[in-house]
Amino acid sequence: MASEVSDMQIELHDTLVEGRDYILLPQQVWEKLHSWYGGGPTLPRKAINTGLSQTDLAIEVYPLRLQLLLMPKGEQAVVRISKRVTVDVLCKKACEVFDLVPDEVCIWDYYGRTKHALMDNLEKTLDDANIQMDQDILVEVTTDANGSLDGACMSSIQEDYFGSASTYLMTDASKSGFSNENLASLCYGSRSYSSSLMQSQYLRSSSGDLDNVPGTVGVTTRGSPSGLTGLLNLGNTCFMNSAVQCLVHTPEFARYFREDYHCEINWHNPLGMVGELALAFGELLRKLWAPSRTPVSPRPFKTKLSRFAPQFSGYNQHDSQELLAFLLDGLHEDLNRVKHRPYLKSKDAEGRSDEEVADEYWANHIARNDSIIVDVCQGQYKSTLVCPVCGKVSVTFDPFMYLSLPLQFASTRSMSVVVFTCDGSAPPIPYTVSVPKQGRCRDLIQALSNACSLRNEERLLIAEIRNHRIHLILEDPVLQLSTIKDDDHLAVYRLPRLEKRASYVQFVHRREDLDLGNNSSSTSWKPYGVPLLAQISRNETVTGSDIHEMARKMLVPMFRNHVAQHSAVQSSLSTRTQSYHTDSSKFQLQLIDDSNTVIEQTDYAIRVPQSSVATVIFVNWSKLDIKKLNTNHLEHLPEVFKYAPPAKRTRGEPLSLYACLDAFLREEPLVPEEMWYCPRCKEQRQASKKLDLWRLPEVLVIHLKRFSFSRSTKHKLETFVNFPIHDLDLTNYIANKIPQRQTYELYAVSNHYGSMASGHYTAYIKLLDENRWYNFDDSHVSAINEEEVKSGAAYVLFYRRVGEADGAASNGTQSCVKRSRRSSQR
């Protein structure tokens, strides 16, 4: 029977990755390699049961490394032991190390040098007891029979192995800490090794100084602050590190996951991750709160995250707020205390008070969703919808996990358009007007009418231009301006008012393009520029000559030498017509309909569809004729709003967080994609919506919407937001008037620096025990001053409710606050 290596100085680095630093080999392959090269030290490891059913096998490359602290003698020792052995095995190992009698010993989960729990369930595995790598175990000698452990011993643990096909592990010597001339390997024996594998290595130190114990890595002195451990960057994982640090330093989560939370895991929730996300997060949290300051590799957590959220797989940069949203929702489902969700339907208000209806909505929500995440992070909105036709008011009360606030300075919006005349009286003229942010299309028309001095007998028609054609005519006066994106291109046509409904003729420009794709060079026509628009009364008959006249009339102001024509236009229609014919010898106007038929200047009627859809006629420009045209008026249609990085704001004129909250809660109409079905009208309506805060959570997460997306562009707002660090007072924002003031204090910030493509995330965290701020920049942790917390990089803000008992609050290193348990729902 082989024995284990007893030299604890042979230690594997904690961050070795299978497939990169080592590989697992069948026994026969390892024996052949050993015979060829002589091999290296043999490090026995175990195959342990994993998974929900405990039937999956995995190699335990890193057994638990535990620090045993003997009281009252003060002796200390380090042992290696499998996480799948029982508390009974650990107790016997401690007695063997310190030469004690099991009946006179009790052991404690001494995580963070705090007595968390008496480990008196001898049949429980160390994994189930939530014992973590490098944590302390208190071995307490007692002569009090009532305080001793149960002396009954369970039968020796049965472990499964891979049978005759034993597994070996070969590592990269340069990364494992072995000398280059040795082949570092881990050897896993057959079933005959069972008894020896259960024995753990240990070191004994009578001096009580853990720093002098060989093989202990990153153990700090007693009394050093916890919670200052960084996270290694695995490659563009700063977004994950920033979000995780903010969550693990949330006091309520720090306390919860450092206790035994396994009893609250919902193993069978179809909406959850069978507890694996909660376990992975809990394990990472405990490592980050360990006394060791050695940076932790989040690779196991990243692996679980990628499994359940493929959008975060790989090593591309992602959004820390999106990760936070997924984590909060995923942890809630994994820890939902409700095992069987009842079907509940909220009743209509029917004249009842808001307080009664809100409490009913909240009770129904809690009946289906009850977890530490709901306890800590969830609040409640009051949502009011009003039908614009019948005035029906609908009030609902919905839960929220965080607030996403827009960065708005004003209630107005700047929009740029180009106005085209259809009578040839003026060239196309660009205008920039200011309109209400939440305004309607009629507001834009009114602003443009004032800007271009529109006459009573005229009207304006707005059209969205895409690919050199009219994509959409915006005729609805109540259309929301928010549906018009900043990167849209709008053309506005100045048309005469008609008594009858109008039909439209759209002139799409095409220029000559030589096609060299085949042997015989042929001429093709390529669309360009902004189309022109003319209108006729419905049922009116137009001829080919009429169509030519419409086009010529609109093109007059765009010719490079049109002084005579322009002056003639100002006189009379007859003079203008004569001018056109005078100019006709200088260029050839070729008009083509959509069936590729040339429209001649004849009296033959041209059919125009009796609808609002514009009939398309192509204007083909030869290379010679197009040079006579001032194409600058046609080719350069501006965006509605051209984004430019805002000028750096001074601290004297910041955007207040309260202003962002005001913009978020402002009443506004629903977008067309979110039309509301009015139960009274029995139709979809574009109702107005008003949000109010009704119930606030213990921890309020605020997301500042810095990233803006459109069809073709995306950019980041570098706006400096002045957010309170102390005394965020939301009392006046609560629609539910309660006597207590609603004030919050900042304790964490997720920051984003740089652009969207090459940005970097960090986290500012306040350790409440120390009343001091720290910068968590991946693996680097450093102290900062409080005034450095406010910056233009702030992206997600974490606030805690301020209460009377907050003087004793902490991020988890002080006395534990008792959690409410619902044993009936476990």
Side-chain angles (χ1 to χ4, degrees), residues 346-354 356-357 360-361 393 395 397:
S346 297
K347 304 174 184 176
D348 192 74
E350 295 180 348
R352 293 182 294 164
S353 66
D354 283 348
E356 182 181 351
V357 177
E360 179 183 278
Y361 269 87
V393 178
V395 178
F397 294 86

Side-chain angles (χ1 to χ4, degrees), residues 592-598 616 618:
I592 311 292
D593 64 16
D594 55 0
S595 62
N596 207 30
T597 302
V598 177
V616 175
F618 297 104

Side-chain angles (χ1 to χ4, degrees), residues 421-427 553-557 566 569-570 576 580:
T421 60
C422 68
D423 60 0
S425 59
K553 189 185 300 184
M554 290 184 287
L555 286 170
V556 166
H566 187 61
V569 165
Q570 303 302 320
R576 185 187 304 134
Y580 299 148

Side-chain angles (χ1 to χ4, degrees), residues 410-478:
S411 59
T412 59
R413 176 187 182 187
S414 177
M415 301 184 73
S416 296
V417 302
V418 174
V419 176
F420 294 81
T421 60
C422 68
D423 60 0
S425 59
I429 301 175
Y431 291 95
T432 298
V433 294
S434 181
V435 294
K437 271 185 180 285
Q438 306 302 326
R440 308 280 180 147
C441 195
R442 61 193 174 204
D443 297 313
L444 176 59
I445 292 175
Q446 183 61 50
L448 289 171
S449 300
N450 296 335
C452 69
S453 301
L454 193 72
R455 297 189 293 269
N456 292 332
E457 64 273 16
E458 295 178 313
R459 69 187 182 98
L460 297 179
L461 185 70
I462 303 174
E464 180 184 348
I465 308 300
R466 290 190 196 176
N467 300 321
H468 311 289
R469 298 179 68 161
I470 293 177
H471 171 70
L472 183 66
I473 296 178
L474 309 179
E475 291 187 288
D476 185 0
V478 297

Side-chain angles (χ1 to χ4, degrees), residues 360-511:
E360 179 183 278
Y361 269 87
W362 188 252
N364 290 347
H365 175 66
I366 294 300
R368 295 172 53 84
N369 303 275
D370 186 12
S371 70
I372 181 65
I373 306 299
V374 176
D375 296 344
V376 174
C377 291
Q378 285 201 354
Q380 191 179 28
Y381 288 133
K382 176 186 177 182
S383 177
T384 305
L385 291 171
V386 180
C387 178
V389 178
C390 70
K392 167 68 176 177
V393 178
S394 174
V395 178
T396 58
F397 294 86
D398 306 309
F400 68 87
M401 194 88 76
Y402 50 86
L403 303 179
S404 288
L405 305 186
L407 304 188
Q408 294 184 351
F409 289 97
S411 59
T412 59
R413 176 187 182 187
S414 177
M415 301 184 73
S416 296
V417 302
V418 174
V419 176
F420 294 81
T421 60
C422 68
D423 60 0
S425 59
I429 301 175
Y431 291 95
T432 298
V433 294
S434 181
V435 294
K437 271 185 180 285
Q438 306 302 326
R440 308 280 180 147
C441 195
R442 61 193 174 204
D443 297 313
L444 176 59
I445 292 175
Q446 183 61 50
L448 289 171
S449 300
N450 296 335
C452 69
S453 301
L454 193 72
R455 297 189 293 269
N456 292 332
E457 64 273 16
E458 295 178 313
R459 69 187 182 98
L460 297 179
L461 185 70
I462 303 174
E464 180 184 348
I465 308 300
R466 290 190 196 176
N467 300 321
H468 311 289
R469 298 179 68 161
I470 293 177
H471 171 70
L472 183 66
I473 296 178
L474 309 179
E475 291 187 288
D476 185 0
V478 297
L479 178 70
Q480 295 178 62
L481 292 179
S482 59
T483 62
I484 302 175
K485 307 302 180 184
D486 285 346
D487 59 344
D488 285 345
H489 297 265
L490 297 185
V492 178
Y493 299 98
R494 189 167 178 168
L495 306 170
R497 292 183 184 273
L498 299 178
E499 294 182 1
K500 298 180 180 181
R501 295 189 65 183
S503 294
Y504 302 108
V505 179
Q506 176 187 181
F507 294 91
V508 177
H509 303 282
R510 297 195 301 191
R511 60 186 174 189

